Amino acid sequence: MKSPHSFLVIRPGRQSDLDQMVCLLKKLFTIEKDFTFKEQFQRRGLQIMLANESGCIMVAEAAGEIVGMCSAQLTVSTAEGGAAMLVEDVIVHEDFRRRGVGRQLMSRLAEWGRGKGVSRIQLLADRNNTAALAFYRKLGWQTTELICLRKVES
């Protein structure tokens, strides 16, 4: 991994970034207890997101390497009466944490959402990932009374 002080660019993800994004998701899924890394699934999910106009992947690139990423999808909120955005994956390589990379990624993702008419952004976070929860609080995110439920269909 290059120096954390390398020139950083935040930009939309591309097909050519797939291998590096999959590697970042592997790191993320070692932190999150509810998910298991299965490369073929993550690769397919990223490909779908890249081809989806209602989805967005932002990457942080330093010296030609993808060192962070976040993704989101649009949804319709009856509570808001319009577009809302669900943030899916947020990960920054450990060598680049605490340097504003995550903040820049989330800012660009929010900018994309505003351009799509989004009035609310939401995300799910692992309740035991105290570093991530502190990061989101620092950015002004608030917890809600809602809980996440899921059901996996075969």
Side-chain angles (χ1 to χ4, degrees):
M1 193 57 49
K2 303 282 191 255
S3 163
H5 303 291
S6 298
F7 183 71
L8 186 73
V9 175
I10 306 296
R11 62 169 175 78
R14 302 186 282 245
Q15 286 288 333
S16 59
D17 302 324
L18 256 176
D19 289 341
Q20 293 181 76
M21 290 190 299
V22 168
C23 287
L24 285 171
L25 287 182
K26 184 175 185 179
K27 290 177 185 295
L28 178 62
F29 287 9
T30 63
I31 298 168
E32 294 181 344
K33 302 295 182 224
D34 287 323
F35 301 105
T36 303
F37 179 77
K38 294 180 184 169
E39 182 174 343
Q40 69 275 21
F41 289 5
Q42 281 69 67
R43 184 174 296 278
R44 185 173 64 219
L46 288 167
Q47 289 171 327
I48 292 168
M49 288 283 293
L50 288 169
N52 181 358
E53 290 184 19
S54 294
C56 179
I57 301 174
M58 288 292 171
V59 298
E61 180 181 12
E65 293 185 58
I66 304 304
V67 299
M69 65 175 280
C70 60
S71 64
Q73 301 176 56
L74 298 179
T75 185
V76 176
S77 168
T78 56
E80 303 296 331
M85 186 167 75
L86 176 61
V87 176
E88 182 77 12
D89 301 303
V90 180
I91 182 73
V92 174
H93 188 282
E94 52 271 5
D95 291 348
F96 286 78
R97 292 183 188 153
R98 298 191 173 293
R99 300 183 189 284
V101 176
R103 177 182 294 274
Q104 290 180 63
L105 282 166
M106 294 296 284
S107 176
R108 284 293 302 278
L109 200 61
E111 184 180 306
W112 176 83
R114 282 190 299 276
K116 299 287 187 180
V118 164
S119 59
R120 182 185 76 222
I121 305 172
Q122 57 196 28
L123 61 77
L124 299 172
D126 189 304
R127 74 178 77 235
N128 298 310
N129 189 343
T130 55
L133 295 173
F135 167 71
Y136 296 127
R137 277 192 292 278
K138 189 174 177 183
L139 294 183
W141 288 75
Q142 300 170 348
T143 58
T144 71
E145 296 301 316
L146 300 172
I147 61 168
C148 176
L149 303 172
R150 76 176 186 177
K151 181 179 177 187
V152 177
E153 297 287 332
S154 319

